[in-house]
Amino acid sequence: MNFLRSVTLAASLLTGSAALAADSLPDAIAAPGETVVLSVHAEGAQVYECKAVADGKLAWSFREPIATLIAEGKTVGRHYAGPNWENVDGSAVTGRAIGNAPGATASDIAWLKLEVISHRGNGVLSGATTVQRINTSGGQLAGACDKAGLLKSAPYSADYVFLRKG
């Protein structure tokens, strides 16, 4: 096996299942030519608020994510409204959705491709230009809401892959 192929295989194994899944992503969230900076697993909740919609009826509206980012069994950061991702090394990014694909089931939130629109701090996320949310499980809220202002959360998990161009 040549050196480059060995390094590529080792990098894929080290970054975990999210990097391996990236080979078969839907076109809407694929990031061809980009390099994985960090791959983490998230466990948390998608928070919804009961609000009046256009026709005046009440419906659940997405408010914010709250999740712990995990790598190799250790907490390495957090994910919260913005959407923001913060690493324990002090680096952080804010993203804006630019692509999506449906989750595996109706109860799974969509897979996303997000463009990084701002950076804070120095560290592993400093060079990230794209974030992918893949392998989602849960997070969709079902059922009627009957009182404006109520908050309800739906547990979810996902893998987040941080990439850089070039």
Side-chain angles (χ1 to χ4, degrees):
M1 189 180 308
N2 70 34
F3 176 75
L4 181 58
R5 188 175 169 140
S6 297
V7 170
T8 302
L9 177 60
S12 295
L13 293 172
L14 288 173
T15 56
S17 63
L20 297 176
D23 291 338
S24 58
L25 294 177
D27 289 345
I29 64 166
E34 295 191 34
T35 305
V36 174
V37 172
L38 177 68
S39 179
V40 297
H41 181 70
E43 291 285 339
Q46 298 285 306
V47 180
Y48 295 85
E49 182 175 0
C50 186
K51 289 183 170 183
V53 291
D55 62 4
K57 294 181 182 176
L58 294 176
W60 292 110
S61 177
F62 176 70
R63 179 182 168 131
E64 64 188 323
I66 301 171
T68 299
L69 304 179
I70 302 162
E72 298 175 9
K74 297 178 184 167
T75 297
V76 297
R78 64 190 187 112
H79 173 43
Y80 55 94
N84 289 284
W85 294 266
E86 210 173 270
N87 191 278
V88 293
D89 68 7
S91 61
V93 295
T94 302
R96 173 180 54 220
I98 58 172
N100 67 72
T105 72
S107 64
D108 301 332
I109 55 176
W111 291 20
L112 296 177
K113 178 179 181 180
L114 303 104
E115 170 187 36
V116 172
I117 57 172
S118 72
H119 295 85
R120 297 176 307 284
N122 292 313
V124 69
L125 298 179
S126 297
T129 55
T130 304
V131 181
Q132 292 168 321
R133 178 176 75 187
I134 61 174
N135 303 327
T136 59
S137 178
Q140 288 286 11
L141 189 60
C145 61
D146 54 10
K147 184 178 179 190
L150 283 179
L151 298 177
K152 195 168 187 181
S153 62
Y156 92 105
S157 65
D159 293 325
Y160 289 99
V161 182
F162 300 87
L163 305 125
R164 67 176 164 77
K165 289 181 172 49

